[in-house]
Amino acid sequence: ANVDDNKELSGQIEALIPSMQSSGTNLEKAGEGILKRTNLVEIGESLFQTGVNLDALALGIKNVNPDLQETTDSCGRLLYAAEKMKEAGNNLKGIQKEKKKGKGWLKG
């Protein structure tokens, strides 16, 4: 973007950098915690924060060019990864996802 002197795109990319850095830092922190056998709550919080940062990154990517199918696809994949990362973090912290009630299992 800088080479092409596209200041708008350059600014959008620069806005994504903090989310990318935070995601990487939190994921490394979770990995370090696993290797050091740290408290599961701390590891879970690191994974949860990684998910939060991936959410922000996904929406930032979508804003780069909302009309482009590739950005929409990328955003969807990152949002799914963020959801699963937050779910894993919550599981390690002891926060369970509320289970559906009723007889939904009867439906095919």
Side-chain angles (χ1 to χ4, degrees):
N2 287 337
V3 172
D4 294 334
D5 201 31
N6 188 339
K7 295 192 186 304
E8 181 182 352
L9 181 59
S10 180
Q12 289 173 327
I13 292 171
E14 286 178 14
L16 298 174
I17 292 172
S19 295
M20 286 188 280
Q21 287 178 329
S22 295
S23 293
T25 300
N26 283 312
L27 195 55
E28 286 179 6
K29 187 176 177 183
E32 178 185 16
I34 291 168
L35 291 173
K36 291 183 176 181
R37 299 180 189 263
T38 306
N39 182 342
L40 289 179
V41 173
E42 291 177 32
I43 296 169
E45 183 59 29
S46 295
L47 289 176
F48 184 84
Q49 288 304 318
T50 300
V52 170
N53 290 313
L54 286 177
D55 267 337
L57 180 60
L59 297 176
I61 288 173
K62 174 78 172 168
N63 289 333
V64 170
N65 189 346
D67 300 326
L68 190 62
Q69 185 61 42
E70 286 83 357
T71 57
T72 302
D73 292 345
S74 179
C75 176
R77 288 185 193 106
L78 274 173
L79 287 174
Y80 179 76
E83 177 187 334
K84 292 301 177 182
M85 194 71 69
K86 291 189 286 188
E87 188 178 305
N90 281 336
N91 284 338
L92 289 175
K93 294 190 298 183
I95 301 170
Q96 297 298 317
K97 189 175 181 180
E98 189 173 315
K99 295 181 180 180
K100 295 180 182 179
K101 296 179 181 177
K103 296 184 180 182
W105 55 272
L106 289 175
K107 297 179 182 178

